[in-house]
Amino acid sequence: MTFQLDDLSGYPAFDPGQMQEKIKAMPLHVQDAWRIAQASPLPDDYRQVRRIVVLGMGGSAIGADLLGGLMAEAGAVPVEVVRGYTLPHYVSGPDTLVIGSSKSGDTEETLSAFAQAQERGARLLAISTGGKIAAIAEKAGIPAWRFTFEGQPRAGVGYSFVLLLGLACRLGFYPDAAVELEQAAAQMKAMQESLVAEVPTDANKAKQLARALYGKIPAIFGSGFLAPVARRWKGQFNENSKQWGLWEDMPELNHNLVVGLGNPQAAIDNVAVIFLRSSFDHPRVQVRYDVTGDLVRRNNTALHAVYGEGATRLVQMFSLIHFNDFVSYYLAALNNADPTPVDNIAYLKGRLAEV
């Protein structure tokens, strides 16, 4: 039987890990992460770097993606994210700041690439709750930024994103974000008043979108600084909702994906396209969304548009991230799936440990 989103009595059994409470705590995570970033050790000579490379996987990597999207709009240095065991060949010497981001501190891919960065003489920094990477950093005299968070890494994106943003601000690579982050926290708190489980579906846009997506594969489109937000949406549908999800970058998708909208028929019937839109989108991108929407509708594929809320790019990013956290949570309920555990990832780690 399909979960009744407005029946509050069903939530304790569906959500024993209290994922909704962790979602609601995002504004506090943002504020706490900023405080940690301002107080953590950072050598003055790190200002000399010319690029930032962040090592991470899953929920620990998405914060770096979000920073990269923001820095591309207004930052002074490029940000690259490495998801894997191997550091790019060109990363060598003190011109690059390599950051190992791992919530547990024990992510094997991140540890492998971090060791390579040590060997090549890059400037280094570790961000974690502890684990091996913190121990390695502290033994070698490398700055280790620690935070405290109990929960799945994806639920701690307020830390993985804002700690990196705080670092960029302290290095002078991005304007001071203190005011914007307070605005983002206030925006998210205000949004919760209409998104929490106690608000019935007819007044709850997150529940409404979850119902519209139920039984479909969401394909999320984002442009510029919202492209990594689209990636975040995809990951939340995978891990929270326990289902398939896809994401695409606009305008790149206008040069390939749009040609394939008509086939196969099963995709037309079972895919729902979601546009993540912003008042900051390039004017031509805004036109492209309008025309692409015509193409999607012409092929009888479901289409939804969600707009970022707030006066700045950063606030809009957090508004869309927070909204999706609730949408993916309610979609998990409709899928009769506990939003917290990631059993397939645990299986993979177990099998890998045997090799």
Side-chain angles (χ1 to χ4, degrees), residues 107-138:
T107 308
E108 63 176 65
E109 299 96 329
T110 302
L111 290 169
S112 172
F114 195 76
Q116 294 166 40
Q118 281 184 279
E119 293 172 358
R120 298 185 196 175
R123 300 182 197 272
L124 294 162
L125 188 141
I127 296 178
S128 72
T129 60
K132 294 178 182 177
I133 200 166
I136 291 169
E138 289 168 355

Side-chain angles (χ1 to χ4, degrees), residues 30 33-34 37-38 42 52 54 63-64 66-68 70-71 74-75 79 99 127 145 157-182 184 313-315 317-318:
V30 166
W34 182 256
Q38 302 313 301
L42 185 64
I52 295 174
V54 184
L66 296 167
L67 177 69
L70 194 63
M71 290 280 284
V79 176
I99 303 166
I127 296 178
W145 289 17
V157 70
Y159 287 100
S160 65
F161 181 16
V162 175
L163 287 170
L164 291 170
L165 177 59
L167 171 68
C169 293
R170 284 185 61 187
L171 292 174
F173 298 152
Y174 190 84
D176 189 288
V179 173
E180 282 188 88
L181 288 172
E182 284 301 321
R313 290 179 176 86
L314 181 58
V315 177
M317 290 175 83
F318 271 111

Side-chain angles (χ1 to χ4, degrees), residues 5-6 8 11 20-21 23-24 188-201 203-207 322 326 329-330:
L5 295 180
D6 292 342
L8 299 181
Y11 282 91
Q20 184 175 202
E21 294 306 308
I23 292 171
K24 289 162 62 177
M188 289 187 284
K189 290 177 182 176
M191 292 172 64
Q192 290 178 16
E193 295 179 3
S194 62
L195 299 179
V196 293
E198 290 78 6
V199 179
T201 300
N204 191 319
K205 292 183 178 180
K207 289 183 179 180
H322 204 44
F326 282 99
Y329 176 78
Y330 295 128

Side-chain angles (χ1 to χ4, degrees), residues 266-338:
I268 297 172
D269 296 337
N270 296 295
V271 169
V273 173
I274 304 169
F275 290 169
L276 302 186
R277 303 194 61 171
S278 168
S279 56
F280 292 103
D281 286 334
H282 189 283
R284 293 296 291 174
V285 166
Q286 296 188 32
V287 175
R288 285 180 177 272
Y289 270 124
D290 293 339
V291 178
T292 303
D294 292 340
L295 290 171
V296 171
R297 285 186 289 265
R298 183 184 300 173
N299 283 278
N300 297 314
T301 299
L303 174 63
H304 308 274
V306 184
Y307 288 78
E309 299 179 16
T312 71
R313 290 179 176 86
L314 181 58
V315 177
Q316 289 193 13
M317 290 175 83
F318 271 111
S319 77
L320 288 168
I321 291 167
H322 204 44
F323 180 66
N324 170 247
D325 284 354
F326 282 99
V327 174
S328 64
Y329 176 78
Y330 295 128
L331 190 52
L334 294 173
N335 287 337
N336 292 311
D338 184 338

Side-chain angles (χ1 to χ4, degrees), residues 2-255:
T2 304
F3 189 94
Q4 301 301 309
L5 295 180
D6 292 342
D7 180 4
L8 299 181
S9 67
Y11 282 91
F14 146 69
D15 184 20
Q18 298 188 313
M19 178 61 79
Q20 184 175 202
E21 294 306 308
K22 292 179 174 61
I23 292 171
K24 289 162 62 177
M26 172 92 79
L28 299 178
H29 298 167
V30 166
Q31 293 169 323
D32 187 39
W34 182 256
R35 287 192 291 267
I36 293 170
Q38 302 313 301
S40 295
L42 185 64
D44 287 340
D45 61 4
Y46 277 32
R47 292 175 176 269
Q48 300 170 14
V49 302
R50 297 182 180 179
R51 71 169 67 90
I52 295 174
V53 174
V54 184
L55 318 175
M57 306 296 299
S60 296
I62 194 64
D65 289 317
L66 296 167
L67 177 69
L70 194 63
M71 290 280 284
E73 302 285 348
V77 298
V79 176
E80 180 179 351
V81 185
V82 174
R83 288 176 164 86
Y85 295 91
T86 306
L87 195 68
H89 180 72
Y90 59 78
V91 176
S92 179
D95 284 349
T96 303
L97 172 58
V98 176
I99 303 166
S101 176
S102 169
K103 187 259 185 181
S104 68
D106 297 326
T107 308
E108 63 176 65
E109 299 96 329
T110 302
L111 290 169
S112 172
F114 195 76
Q116 294 166 40
Q118 281 184 279
E119 293 172 358
R120 298 185 196 175
R123 300 182 197 272
L124 294 162
L125 188 141
I127 296 178
S128 72
T129 60
K132 294 178 182 177
I133 200 166
I136 291 169
E138 289 168 355
K139 182 178 180 180
I142 297 166
W145 289 17
R146 292 176 180 254
F147 64 98
T148 301
F149 175 69
E150 296 295 332
Q152 294 288 351
R154 65 187 183 276
V157 70
Y159 287 100
S160 65
F161 181 16
V162 175
L163 287 170
L164 291 170
L165 177 59
L167 171 68
C169 293
R170 284 185 61 187
L171 292 174
F173 298 152
Y174 190 84
D176 189 288
V179 173
E180 282 188 88
L181 288 172
E182 284 301 321
Q183 292 172 345
Q187 177 74 41
M188 289 187 284
K189 290 177 182 176
M191 292 172 64
Q192 290 178 16
E193 295 179 3
S194 62
L195 299 179
V196 293
E198 290 78 6
V199 179
T201 300
D202 61 4
N204 191 319
K205 292 183 178 180
K207 289 183 179 180
Q208 292 169 14
L209 183 55
R211 285 193 177 280
L213 296 177
Y214 178 55
K216 295 183 179 293
I217 296 174
I220 309 99
F221 300 173
S223 177
F225 73 103
L226 292 186
V229 177
R231 184 172 192 156
R232 162 72 179 187
W233 275 54
K234 175 263 184 189
Q236 291 298 84
F237 287 132
N238 294 157
E239 295 193 68
N240 281 355
S241 309
K242 309 299 189 288
Q243 69 163 67
W244 280 86
L246 310 169
W247 75 279
E248 292 280 348
D249 192 339
M250 176 71 86
E252 170 64 19
L253 66 93
N254 277 175
H255 297 265

